[in-house]
Amino acid sequence: MFINQSQNDATVKFDVEGRLDTTTAPQLEEAVKQGAKNKKTMIMDLSKVEYVSSSGLRVILLAHKIMAATKGKLIIQHPSEFCMQVFIATGMDSILSISV
């Protein structure tokens, strides 16, 4: 998995590419925890994520909770077809803010 992070004063963005699974989820979790500090918006571009496991979903939900706790917002941007199917199957599409 590859994560490209960019940020400005209020926003942090993660462009995630590859597989988001048990092996790679800790890498994204650490990036989320560090990147969320003092930010109002977190954007995760998942357009190049080919697979997401329950471990990956846990990190995405963690990012949502971290941002909500500070009255911020997580935006899932351009989820791949696979990611969107998983979000729908798990009901996370009703929890997350998804921009297709």
Side-chain angles (χ1 to χ4, degrees):
M1 179 180 70
F2 175 76
I3 303 169
N4 182 43
Q5 180 178 335
S6 57
Q7 59 186 340
N8 61 32
D9 290 342
T11 303
V12 61
K13 181 178 182 190
F14 299 104
D15 295 308
V16 185
E17 184 175 340
R19 295 175 59 88
L20 184 49
D21 56 24
T22 305
T23 306
T24 59
Q27 180 184 356
L28 182 58
E29 182 174 348
E30 185 59 31
V32 162
K33 287 178 178 177
Q34 294 301 315
K37 293 178 182 175
N38 302 315
K39 302 297 181 195
K40 288 294 178 189
T41 305
M42 179 182 293
I43 299 169
M44 262 190 219
D45 185 323
L46 303 179
S47 60
K48 295 181 181 174
V49 173
E50 57 199 41
Y51 175 79
V52 61
S53 72
S54 59
S55 297
L57 290 177
R58 183 188 62 76
V59 174
I60 293 168
L61 191 56
L62 175 67
H64 173 74
K65 288 180 179 181
I66 288 171
M67 296 309 294
T70 60
K71 299 187 179 172
K73 186 172 188 176
L74 169 67
I75 300 170
I76 302 297
Q77 195 173 62
H78 312 297
S80 66
E81 184 177 337
F82 185 87
C83 286
M84 197 62 208
Q85 288 174 351
V86 171
F87 292 153
I88 291 168
T90 60
M92 285 181 65
D93 63 320
S94 64
I95 297 169
L96 301 171
S97 177
I98 301 174
S99 171
V100 290

